[in-house]
């Protein structure tokens, strides 16, 4: 009957539907093949053909998973027997889709509260699947409404451990480090905060837009701008925040990582800096920026009163208002900034991140009365605005070395370490264990090479001092791209 069924019912769509339902009542390979064939024939005359094609692939997936077949019996299928080239091509396409989807594995659900009606997919060594295909209906569910469950559906990459227990295959959850973990490139949260203290900025943007009721389009922006040499570090920062935001050209030789979306700032940026708080006076800018973000979440920026409030906040943020905003909002009253009280170093990775932005590993080779005519010195420095003098003093206490130098011409202070015993015993071990990131890591490596030469007394020879001077010539701003 399978040979001639196509000719007999070709002109009657009602008959097609009847035979589709008939095929579903018989649980055999031939009935499944007939069901798929007649469903394909019927779908040619409907606008939802592609939706049905997806459903066919889904059915074949369950068939392939549960019976562990490769669906190689394509010669005896109704599509192949019909002799129609198009049907043959579609049939082979579905076979390939089903075989590829078979790489997916469904884990059994478990837990107190089970809101799913799902078939038991337990595969036994002897008897095969314990449930027949298409006999149980699955219901959609919301993951957050479920109680704690012991397993989830995943893509099996043949890296998980499999073991046999009571004749059942059970896949255990194995914590495998990602490529970033293995390469040591995954950023620590405190490193991100420390680097933001050094290089980050929190901004509120105003753009005139007549389509907005208030006339102004307001955006909250989190940004870190770096030289193009540190593009890889910007990629790491974007990866840390889950891929949100964009890395864009910032200037002739620089790029910036920017997060403009309100949703992304609410979901990623705020939770991070609420948990891992900033330690410089930039924290006060963050608090103002955070207040604006929450106002935008409440839609207050769409009202005239809300816009004026945000302008008042913007007047105290970073460098204040632009000339255009001063003219547009003459009644602006800047809000009072909240000063930061706790400026203690919270974590060694914070200091590694802060140093990656503001630190300087320097080599000096001044003239001396030695035989080679020069001496070699290695220095470590961190410069900061004088408003963060207390933080600089906290670094002295934390590292138990160094001293502060105040700039008499500018409002700046510098934490400096030049004592060789402190360099070898405290600075070098600290940054050996807590990595510097970005292009400054190369400066640290060169700095360590010079330190090694000095430790071995090589700087007392002409050859050694020449090596140190050559290293110095390629560091920091002189480093080639």
């Amino acid at each position: 009957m399978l040979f001639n069924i196509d000719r007999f019912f070709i002109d009657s769509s009602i008959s097609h539907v009847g035979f589709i339902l008939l095929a579903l009542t018989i649980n055999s390979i031939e009935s499944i093949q007939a069901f798929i064939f007649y469903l394909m024939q019927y779908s040619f005359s409907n606008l939802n053909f592609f939706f049905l094609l997806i459903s066919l692939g889904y059915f074949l997936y369950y068939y392939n998973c549960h019976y562990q077949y490769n669906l190689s019996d394509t010669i005896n299928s109704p599509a192949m027997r019909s002799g129609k080239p198009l049907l043959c091509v579609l049939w082979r396409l579905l076979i390939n889709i089903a075989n590829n989807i078979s790489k997916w594995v469904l884990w059994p659900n478990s837990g107190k509260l089970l809101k799913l009606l799902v078939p038991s997919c337990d595969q036994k060594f002897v008897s095969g699947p314990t449930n027949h295909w298409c006999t149980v209906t699955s219901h959609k569910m919301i993951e957050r409404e479920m109680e704690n469950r012991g397993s989830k559906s995943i893509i099996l990459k043949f890296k998980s451990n499999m073991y046999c227990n009571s004749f059942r295959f059970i896949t255990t959850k194995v914590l495998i480090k990602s490529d970033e973990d293995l390469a040591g490139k995954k950023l620590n949260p405190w490193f991100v905060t420390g680097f933001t203290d050094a290089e980050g900025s929190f901004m509120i943007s105003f753009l005139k837009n007549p389509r907005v009721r208030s006339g102004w389009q307001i955006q909250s922006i989190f940004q870190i701008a770096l030289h193009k040499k540190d593009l890889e570090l910007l990629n790491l920062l974007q990866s840390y925040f889950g891929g949100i935001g964009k890395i864009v050209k910032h200037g002739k030789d620089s790029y910036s990582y920017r997060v403009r979306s309100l949703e992304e700032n609410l979901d990623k940026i705020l939770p991070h800096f609420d948990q891992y708080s900033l330690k410089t006076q930039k924290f006060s800018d963050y608090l103002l920026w955070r207040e604006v973000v929450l106002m935008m979440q409440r839609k207050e920026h769409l009202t005239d009163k809300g816009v004026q409030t945000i302008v008042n906040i913007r007047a105290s943020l970073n460098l204040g208002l632009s000339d255009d905003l001063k003219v547009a909002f003459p009644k602006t009253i800047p809000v009072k900034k909240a000063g930061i009280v706790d400026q203690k170093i919270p974590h060694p990775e914070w200091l590694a991140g802060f140093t990656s932005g503001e630190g300087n590993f320097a080599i000096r080779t001044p003239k001396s009365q030695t035989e080679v005519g020069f001496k070699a010195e290695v220095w470590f420095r961190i410069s900061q605005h004088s408003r963060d003098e207390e933080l600089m003093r906290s670094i002295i206490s934390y590292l138990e070395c160094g001293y502060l130098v105040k700039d008499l011409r500018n409002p700046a202070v510098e934490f400096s370490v030049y004592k060789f015993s402190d360099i070898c015993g405290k600075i070098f071990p600290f940054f050996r264990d807590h990595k510097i990131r970005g292009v400054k890591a190369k400066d640290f490596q060169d700095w360590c090479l010079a330190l090694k030469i000095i430790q071995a007394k090589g700087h007392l020879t002409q050859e050694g001092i020449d090596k140190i001077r050559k290293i110095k010539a390629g560091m920091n701003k002189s480093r080639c791209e």
Side-chain angles (χ1 to χ4, degrees):
M1 183 177 73
L2 291 174
F3 297 167
N4 302 315
I5 198 71
D6 174 52
R7 304 175 193 171
F8 189 77
F9 294 105
I10 193 66
D11 297 321
S12 175
S13 60
I14 298 177
S15 298
H16 273 290
V17 173
F19 271 77
I20 288 173
L21 297 175
L22 179 62
L24 285 175
T25 61
I26 305 173
N27 189 17
S28 67
I29 295 177
E30 292 293 332
S31 68
I32 293 171
Q33 292 176 344
F35 160 71
I36 295 173
F37 174 67
Y38 296 129
L39 193 59
M40 288 174 59
Q41 286 279 20
Y42 183 71
S43 64
F44 279 121
S45 59
N46 289 274
L47 296 177
N48 60 349
F49 169 71
F50 291 102
F51 296 101
L52 293 173
L53 188 63
I54 294 172
S55 300
L56 290 174
Y58 189 69
F59 289 149
L60 284 173
Y61 149 62
Y62 272 104
Y63 171 73
N64 196 30
C65 274
H66 290 195
Y67 287 95
Q68 300 295 312
Y69 291 155
N70 290 324
L71 297 179
S72 59
D73 189 19
T74 59
I75 299 177
N76 295 323
S77 65
M80 299 301 291
R81 291 178 181 274
S82 67
K84 296 184 178 181
L86 179 59
L87 291 182
C88 295
V89 171
L90 290 174
W91 179 261
R92 290 186 181 276
L93 178 62
L94 289 175
I95 296 298
N96 292 332
I97 292 174
N99 287 332
N100 289 330
I101 292 178
S102 65
K103 295 178 182 178
W104 289 71
V105 176
L106 294 178
W107 287 356
N109 293 283
S110 61
K112 280 185 179 181
L113 182 60
L114 191 59
K115 295 186 179 181
L116 291 176
L117 296 178
V118 297
S120 174
C121 297
D122 295 340
Q123 178 73 28
K124 297 187 178 182
F125 278 110
V126 180
S127 59
T130 57
N131 282 78
H132 294 293
W133 180 65
C134 288
T135 57
V136 182
T137 302
S138 296
H139 290 258
K140 294 181 179 179
M141 66 94 177
I142 301 176
E143 182 72 20
R144 63 177 178 269
E145 293 183 357
M146 298 292 292
E147 291 186 359
N148 183 37
R149 297 182 292 123
S151 57
K152 296 181 179 180
S153 299
I154 63 163
I155 298 179
L156 182 62
K157 295 185 178 179
F158 305 103
K159 292 184 180 179
S160 300
N161 292 336
M162 305 290 294
Y163 67 90
C164 176
N165 182 17
S166 301
F167 297 104
R168 294 188 179 184
F169 287 122
I170 302 177
T171 307
T172 58
K173 186 177 181 180
V174 180
L175 296 177
I176 302 176
K177 289 188 176 182
S178 65
D179 294 337
E180 285 189 347
D181 290 326
L182 296 176
K185 291 185 177 181
K186 189 174 182 180
L187 298 181
N188 182 282
W190 277 115
F191 179 95
V192 174
T193 295
F195 193 77
T196 303
D197 265 316
E199 301 291 349
S201 58
F202 301 90
M203 304 180 295
I204 302 298
S205 170
F206 282 78
L207 296 174
K208 287 186 178 180
N209 189 343
R211 292 178 295 179
V212 180
R213 179 180 175 275
S214 63
W216 294 91
Q217 181 179 351
I218 302 175
Q219 281 188 325
S220 56
I221 304 172
F222 168 65
Q223 175 178 281
I224 296 179
L226 300 174
H227 192 274
K228 61 183 179 181
K229 296 178 183 178
D230 273 321
L231 184 58
E232 182 182 356
L233 182 52
L234 290 180
N235 288 324
L236 287 176
L237 288 166
Q238 185 181 38
S239 177
Y240 171 81
F241 285 112
I244 64 171
K246 293 182 179 180
I247 297 176
V248 297
K249 192 79 172 177
H250 185 70
K252 180 180 178 181
D253 295 318
S254 62
Y255 287 85
S256 67
Y257 169 56
R258 295 176 186 171
V259 181
R260 292 176 175 268
S261 167
L262 176 62
E263 291 75 16
E264 292 174 346
N265 281 321
L266 284 167
D267 294 342
K268 296 291 184 179
I269 305 302
L270 258 64
H272 171 83
F273 290 107
D274 285 348
Q275 184 175 359
Y276 305 97
S277 61
L278 299 159
K279 294 302 174 183
T280 64
Q281 293 299 329
K282 195 171 292 182
F283 179 67
S284 59
D285 288 334
Y286 167 73
L287 292 178
L288 295 177
W289 182 83
R290 182 181 186 275
E291 184 176 348
V292 173
V293 172
L294 295 178
M295 288 180 63
M296 294 173 67
Q297 183 187 27
R298 297 190 295 267
K299 309 296 184 182
E300 295 179 22
H301 65 296
L302 302 179
T303 65
D304 293 338
K305 180 180 179 182
V307 171
Q308 183 62 64
T309 302
I310 294 176
V311 172
N312 294 341
I313 295 174
R314 177 69 178 81
S316 299
L317 191 64
N318 300 321
L319 299 178
L321 297 180
S322 64
D323 293 337
D324 291 340
L325 288 177
K326 289 178 181 178
V327 173
F329 298 94
K331 297 182 180 180
T332 298
I333 302 176
V335 300
K336 186 178 180 181
K337 262 188 177 182
I340 183 172
V341 177
D342 180 18
Q343 288 197 299
K344 294 181 180 180
I345 309 303
H347 193 277
E349 285 294 325
W350 179 93
L351 186 55
F354 190 65
T355 302
S356 296
E358 297 288 4
N360 175 250
F361 296 93
I363 299 174
R364 296 179 69 246
T365 56
K367 292 182 179 181
S368 69
Q369 300 299 323
T370 61
E371 293 182 2
V372 296
F374 296 93
K375 64 179 180 179
E377 299 174 343
V378 286
W379 288 50
F380 171 64
R381 297 176 291 191
I382 299 177
S383 298
Q384 193 67 6
H385 194 280
S386 58
R387 64 184 180 181
D388 283 312
E389 180 178 341
E390 189 63 32
L391 179 63
M392 296 293 102
R393 296 188 183 280
S394 296
I395 295 177
I396 295 176
S397 301
Y398 192 80
L399 294 176
E400 299 180 345
C401 64
Y403 62 95
L404 284 187
V405 177
K406 294 185 179 181
D407 191 334
L408 300 179
R409 295 172 297 178
N410 300 300
V413 292
E414 180 182 272
F415 165 74
S416 181
V417 182
Y418 69 91
K419 190 176 180 180
F420 192 71
S421 60
D422 289 337
I423 291 290
C424 294
K426 296 176 181 178
I427 302 302
F428 168 72
F430 181 87
F431 291 110
R432 177 196 60 200
D433 298 335
H434 305 285
K435 304 297 183 183
I436 300 294
R437 305 280 183 167
V439 71
K440 196 162 292 184
K442 298 178 181 179
D443 293 331
F444 176 68
Q445 292 172 1
D446 291 342
W447 185 81
C448 291
L449 290 177
L451 179 61
K452 185 176 181 181
I453 294 174
I454 297 173
Q455 282 180 314
K457 306 298 182 181
H459 65 294
L460 301 178
T461 66
Q462 188 63 49
E463 181 183 2
I465 202 70
D466 288 343
K467 287 183 179 179
I468 292 175
R469 298 184 71 181
K470 185 177 180 181
I471 292 172
K472 178 180 181 295
M475 288 179 59
N476 299 318
K477 293 182 179 180
S478 300
R479 181 174 296 280
C480 297
E481 297 181 16

